[in-house]
Amino acid sequence: MDQPAYVQHYSPVLGSLAWSSLVAALPLLVLFVLLGGLRVRAWLASLIALAVSLVIAIVVYGMPAGMAVLSGTEGAAFGFFPILWIVINALWIYRMTVRSGHFDVLRRSFGSVSSDQRVQAVIIAFSFGALLEALAGFGAPVAICTIMLIGLGFRPLRAAVVALVANTAPVAFGAIAVPITTLAQVTNLPEDALGAVVGRQTPILALFVPFVLVALVDGARGLREAWPVALTGGLTFGIAQFAVSNYLSVPLTDIVAALVSAGAVVLVVRARAGATTTRDRVAVPAGGPDVESSGTGSSDDGAHGGPPSEGAFGAGAAGDRDDAHQDSRRDVLLAYMPYVIIIVLFSVQQIPPITKAMNAVTLKFRWPGVDVRSPSGTQASSTTFTFNWLAAAGTVLLIAGVLTALVLAIRPGDALRAYGETLRELRTAIATVMAVLALAYVMNLSGQTITIGQWLAATGGFFAVLSPVLGWLGTAVTGSDTSSNSLFGALQVAAAQKSGLDPVLLASANSSGGVLGKMISPQNLAIAAAAVGMAGREGEILRRVLLWSLVFLAGMCVLVYLQSTPVLGWMLP
């Protein structure tokens, strides 16, 4: 005999929305305190918060125990596929390029564009970091870009700060737009609509980030001298991000934007290269002792350089910092091939007949044992699981990985070992993401999320200001815009519907605000500190990036609020 459907109700505690919200928020409070206050490991904190949410769903909301547990299993399954399926295969490709030595070739290729660290910060941390975010996300851009910057002569603390601040504007479309995909899943809003609105928010952020990077490297002087590079990188990235997310393909957004931005910066640098033939280095910036002085060494002391030469952006000097190693054109071409393969495969996937053929084998089914209905009797959409095993971005990346192994002449045994190493490296991340998604599904399907959303909706139109803050808080604590969207996406929609605001706008604002919390999340700070050999000194890095996180957040709050009014309402699709 089938178990009767569970009907959600939103005021189970004394019939009060306020008291019910306080109880419903306990899993999130537990998660935040464990992660941010007690510094419990993310996977363990997520499991504890999941247990709390299950108890509340069963005891307070009256959800059948079996159905509550099965709701969690659906969330965990969605956490692995398609989310982790993308991350695993993307990092496998990266690991193969490291094993084959082609990653070092790629790093030297970037360094050969210019010896000016201000230019390198924009090309590597911003543009190439965006490409890494587009393909993998989940901390990979911070770790990889930090290592590349140190290899090009950046001092460790500065490399970490630059990589963290740069890892903002691309995050909402990271890992082949997994945050947007997840947001669409938990909110039941169209993925294209969400991507289009986010694509009208984060490009504005992208315009300013390169200027901040230049200032971090060389203070006010850097802004005076290197503003053309900053403007070119940010403007072209923002325009491409808007155009692709709105008119081409949400998953391809950051890939195209990153390549357009990098290409435009290289053209500007090459155009100005004739102005100088001397090597330019960056001296102590105008920011004083709180900003590191810069030199060619990677240690904490002993800067070597003088001021940049008059015609900044000189080309071709940094590539010889690796013992003057000269790579052949063939090696350089092979170093870029994995990314070319990925772009080609995703582009081919957008061709309508191929898209139709790949989607033809997609399986959709209601998750076993989970029958949840709203008070009006409508079936909860998130009880339907979509297994698009062939069309999934992770599967495309798996195919790209196989082709990469063939092109780079990596032996099958080495490729398989690299895959095993990737799984071992990600084991705690896998547990964390699956637990967070399980928590989100339990809260959403039991009604806890809607309870909180309806309570917050009492703020009316002002909730548009709070909307990005929720996303920022979620990412700051979990380290992932995807996880933040899982936790708060449905809440944003519930609050929007209750307060008369646009659900798509507020759900998108959760993701756009979330990108600004990534630079201060404990996980990303730990990744950056480990990459530069500063484990245990995460607080020092946090102090360098916190202000920028708050400044950008304030700007995003103002933007979203104005977009919710006639002042900037015209910006929305």
Side-chain angles (χ1 to χ4, degrees):
M1 182 177 178
D2 290 339
Q3 181 174 318
Y6 166 69
V7 179
Q8 297 171 326
H9 55 118
Y10 309 133
S11 303
V13 181
L14 303 176
S16 166
L17 197 61
W19 283 108
S20 299
S21 296
L22 290 176
V23 174
L26 281 176
L28 299 177
L29 180 63
V30 168
L31 179 63
F32 294 168
V33 169
L34 290 177
L35 279 176
L38 302 180
R39 297 188 178 183
V40 174
R41 292 182 181 275
W43 67 269
L44 180 58
S46 302
L47 287 174
I48 294 172
L50 171 60
V52 173
S53 71
L54 285 169
V55 170
I56 293 174
I58 296 166
V59 176
V60 178
Y61 280 77
M63 191 178 196
M67 195 176 297
V69 171
L70 287 171
S71 297
T73 63
E74 183 187 2
F78 181 73
F80 187 84
F81 187 96
I83 295 173
L84 288 164
W85 184 231
I86 293 172
V87 179
I88 290 168
N89 290 310
L91 290 182
W92 173 49
I93 294 172
Y94 162 69
R95 184 175 286 276
M96 284 193 293
T97 66
V98 172
R99 290 175 73 100
S100 67
H102 289 90
F103 177 74
D104 286 333
V105 177
L106 186 68
R107 175 173 57 82
R108 288 191 290 267
S109 174
F110 279 120
S112 68
V113 173
S114 173
S115 61
D116 189 331
Q117 291 188 344
R118 300 166 300 193
V119 176
Q120 293 168 351
V122 175
I123 292 181
I124 295 175
F126 183 71
S127 299
F128 183 63
L131 181 61
L132 293 173
E133 181 67 37
L135 300 177
F138 293 88
V142 172
I144 296 169
C145 290
T146 299
I147 293 170
M148 291 180 73
L149 291 174
I150 290 177
L152 291 171
F154 278 66
R155 305 182 74 187
L157 181 56
R158 171 168 293 149
V161 171
V162 167
L164 283 166
V165 173
N167 191 218
T168 47
V171 169
F173 296 98
I176 316 299
V178 158
I180 304 296
T181 301
T182 304
L183 189 61
Q185 177 72 17
V186 300
T187 61
N188 196 34
L189 295 172
E191 181 178 331
D192 289 343
L194 292 168
V197 174
V198 173
R200 295 163 190 248
Q201 294 169 342
T202 56
I204 296 175
L205 171 66
L207 181 62
F208 294 99
V209 171
F211 287 95
V212 174
L213 300 183
V214 169
L216 286 171
V217 173
D218 195 26
R221 182 183 63 183
L223 291 174
R224 288 194 306 270
E225 298 180 358
W227 68 265
V229 167
L231 179 62
T232 301
L235 184 61
T236 55
F237 185 94
I239 291 174
Q241 196 178 55
F242 161 74
V244 178
S245 63
N246 278 266
Y247 305 114
L248 180 59
S249 165
V250 172
L252 282 176
T253 297
D254 275 353
I255 294 178
V256 175
L259 293 173
V260 168
S261 174
V265 171
V266 170
L267 289 176
V268 168
V269 171
R270 296 301 188 198
R272 300 176 63 98
T276 181
T277 58
T278 59
R279 253 179 97 153
D280 41 13
R281 296 186 179 120
V282 177
V284 180
D290 187 52
V291 184
E292 281 186 308
S293 62
S294 169
T296 56
S298 60
S299 63
D300 280 339
D301 48 36
H304 305 290
S309 56
E310 286 183 9
F313 324 139
D320 60 2
R321 287 193 177 120
D322 270 27
D323 56 304
H325 186 95
Q326 295 296 319
D327 298 301
S328 68
R329 289 186 178 180
R330 178 179 181 277
D331 286 338
V332 172
L333 177 62
L334 288 175
Y336 282 92
M337 279 306 296
Y339 307 100
V340 173
I341 291 170
I342 290 170
I343 294 166
V344 169
L345 288 180
F346 276 106
S347 299
V348 169
Q349 188 187 22
Q350 306 305 313
I351 299 173
I354 295 178
T355 302
K356 183 178 179 180
M358 295 179 75
N359 287 330
V361 294
T362 294
L363 302 176
K364 289 187 178 182
F365 56 91
R366 201 179 81 189
W367 196 257
V370 180
D371 188 1
V372 178
R373 301 179 186 274
S374 69
S376 64
T378 304
Q379 179 81 42
S381 59
S382 55
T383 59
T384 300
F385 190 86
T386 301
F387 184 54
N388 56 336
W389 61 273
L390 182 57
T395 303
V396 177
L397 288 173
L398 177 65
I399 297 170
V402 173
L403 294 176
T404 294
L406 293 173
V407 170
L408 300 185
I410 297 174
R411 291 179 296 184
D414 289 338
L416 289 175
R417 276 190 290 274
Y419 205 96
E421 291 170 359
T422 302
L423 290 174
R424 284 194 297 273
E425 177 185 330
L426 290 174
R427 60 186 182 277
T428 56
I430 290 172
T432 300
V433 171
M434 293 180 70
V436 168
L437 266 296
L439 166 65
Y441 267 65
V442 171
M443 291 189 65
N444 293 346
L445 289 174
S446 66
Q448 296 172 61
T449 299
I450 299 176
T451 296
I452 301 171
Q454 290 191 351
W455 179 58
L456 288 174
T459 59
F462 185 73
F463 185 71
V465 177
L466 300 178
S467 184
V469 178
L470 279 179
W472 174 83
L473 181 63
T475 304
V477 172
T478 66
S480 164
D481 195 41
T482 299
S483 297
S484 178
N485 288 345
S486 301
L487 293 175
F488 295 131
L491 187 156
Q492 298 272 13
V493 170
Q497 292 171 338
K498 190 73 174 180
S499 58
L501 296 170
D502 182 356
V504 175
L505 171 63
L506 296 199
S508 301
N510 192 87
S511 198
S512 297
V515 308
L516 304 172
K518 195 162 186 180
M519 71 175 83
I520 63 169
S521 69
Q523 292 90 324
N524 261 26
L525 289 170
I527 289 171
V532 298
M534 292 177 60
R537 296 170 60 187
E538 289 84 359
E540 189 174 347
I541 300 175
L542 174 62
R543 287 193 294 273
R544 303 294 182 100
V545 299
L546 178 59
L547 177 61
W548 293 114
S549 178
L550 294 174
V551 168
F552 283 140
L553 175 63
M556 186 61 68
C557 289
V558 171
L559 173 64
V560 172
Y561 175 73
L562 293 178
Q563 287 181 329
S564 73
T565 70
V567 177
L568 290 183
W570 55 267
M571 290 182 64
L572 301 180

